[in-house]
Each structure stands twice: as structure tokens, then as C-alpha cells.
Amino acid sequence: MQHALPSPLELFLAADPVVKGVMLGLVLASLACWTIIIEKLATIRRLRREAKALALAEAGQSGAAGLAGAVLGAALPEWRRGQGARETDGEYRQRLEVALRRPVAAAMKRAESGLPILATTGSVGPFVGLFGTVWGIMNSFAGIAASQDTSLAGVAPGIAEALFATAIGLVAAIPAVIAYNRFAVALAAVRQEAMIAASDLALRLSRAAPVGV
């Protein structure tokens, strides 16, 4: 006669309090990671659009929003000051480029928030789940010794509950690792594209005559 497998809720409710705490912590970490994943997907999509808009930005452009607006807002005061009497063309362009790159760096730093949580969950999650499994198996063996019941029916439930903690750890860790690696690469590519666009804009500004407000 085959027995139905216990549901995840049944495994959780039957687990030791320590194992329950491990499971709850891993579930919360997984929920936090999925929240970050959804937010980062939208953020990277937005930054890609804004980096392309920055590449097309021009001095005096009105109504620029997002990254292009922030970069132009930071660069225009320096551009309107014009080139100093003792400032070479290269120094002038470098001053503009520094001003343009600052908002890009700030935007990318904000976009990277949450990635440490993905990295931590991906690296620590399996070990936390393994701790819950080891603790649960230890309790199962202690229960076996106390009851003198060494049958599979007496051992299996406790071991199943303990192994469930490792399963939750893997479920939390695997998406976190994949997401962290993909987001790190995507953000690096967007950063490079935005920095190149800022450098090109600085070059164009350095060759154009400053205008007043």
C-alpha cells in the first residue's frame, strides 16, 4: 500500500522548533530575493532606456528626464562657466567629463542596492538549510534512542522534515545566485554604455560655445 507524501505545510508543522526557525528564515530570505529580482528587472530595463537617451542628449535640451536629465543638470553649470583662461582643451573636457560621470556613478550605485542580499542568500542559504537538516536528524536519532523504535516508519518522518530544510535552502539559493550573476553583468554593461555616452557628451560640450540660461 502506497502512502501519500506529506505536504510542505505538514512537514513544517511537524518539524522541531529550531528547524522551523531555519525554514521560516529561508522562506523570508527567498521572498526578499524575489522582491529584489523583480525590482532589478524593472530598474535595468529603465536604465538601458535612459543610457540610450543619454547618448542622444544635447546641450540646451529641455525636458530631459531620468539619467539624461541628471547628467545635463550636473554638466550645464560647468559648461556655462566656460573654459578657464589657463585651462587647456583637455583639462576643460576632463572637467566636464567628471561632472557628467558623477550622476551616472550615483545612479549605478543606487541600482546595485539589494545585490548583496542576493549574493549572501546564494552563498549562505544551502548551509543554513543544511544546519536545519543536521539538527533535525540529530533530534530524530535522539527520539529513536529514547523510544527504542528503529523501524523505517519511525525514522522516516523526522528525516523527511529535516531534509525539507535543505530543500528550502536550495530553492532560496539557486535563483539568488543566478539573478546576482546576471544582474551584475547587466549593470556593468549599462554602466559602461552610460559612461561612454557621458564622455561623448563631454566632448561635444567642450567643442560647443557655452550659452546663457
Side-chain angles (χ1 to χ4, degrees), residues 54 71 97 100-101 104 193-203:
L54 177 59
V71 169
E97 188 169 336
L100 269 72
R101 283 173 172 257
V104 174
E193 183 180 355
M195 288 296 186
I196 291 173
S199 297
D200 290 343
L201 179 57
L203 180 61

Side-chain angles (χ1 to χ4, degrees), residues 50-191:
E50 293 181 358
K52 294 183 185 301
L54 177 59
L56 302 174
E58 295 292 344
Q61 179 177 340
S62 61
L67 190 58
V71 169
L72 287 172
L76 290 181
E78 293 293 330
W79 181 53
R80 285 167 179 156
R81 280 174 51 192
Q83 183 173 350
R86 299 183 179 181
E87 196 173 31
T88 65
D89 292 344
E91 291 171 340
Y92 177 45
R93 184 172 64 251
Q94 184 178 13
R95 174 160 61 85
L96 291 173
E97 188 169 336
V98 169
L100 269 72
R101 283 173 172 257
R102 195 175 295 118
V104 174
M108 299 308 302
K109 185 176 181 180
R110 289 193 300 271
E112 290 170 356
S113 64
L115 292 187
I117 296 177
L118 295 179
T120 301
T121 302
S123 60
V124 175
F127 296 102
V128 175
L130 184 60
F131 166 75
T133 295
V134 171
W135 185 277
I137 291 176
M138 287 171 55
N139 282 340
S140 295
F141 284 145
I144 292 169
S147 64
Q148 301 297 319
D149 182 8
T150 58
S151 66
L152 184 60
V155 176
I159 294 179
E161 297 153 12
L163 290 174
F164 187 49
T166 295
I168 296 177
L170 293 174
V171 168
I174 291 173
V177 171
I178 294 173
Y180 174 81
N181 291 332
R182 295 199 62 173
F183 291 155
V185 171
L187 286 173
V190 174
R191 175 191 290 271

Side-chain angles (χ1 to χ4, degrees), residues 4-51:
L5 293 174
S7 67
L9 181 59
E10 291 172 340
L11 290 172
F12 171 78
L13 293 175
D16 177 85
V18 174
V19 181
K20 282 182 180 177
V22 169
M23 292 179 181
L24 281 174
L26 289 170
V27 169
L28 291 175
S30 181
L31 290 175
C33 287
W34 278 106
T35 301
I36 293 169
I37 288 170
I38 294 170
E39 185 270 330
K40 289 292 171 261
L41 287 172
T43 297
I44 291 173
R45 192 177 297 113
R46 173 179 57 80
L47 286 175
R48 281 174 176 160
R49 291 196 306 267
E50 293 181 358

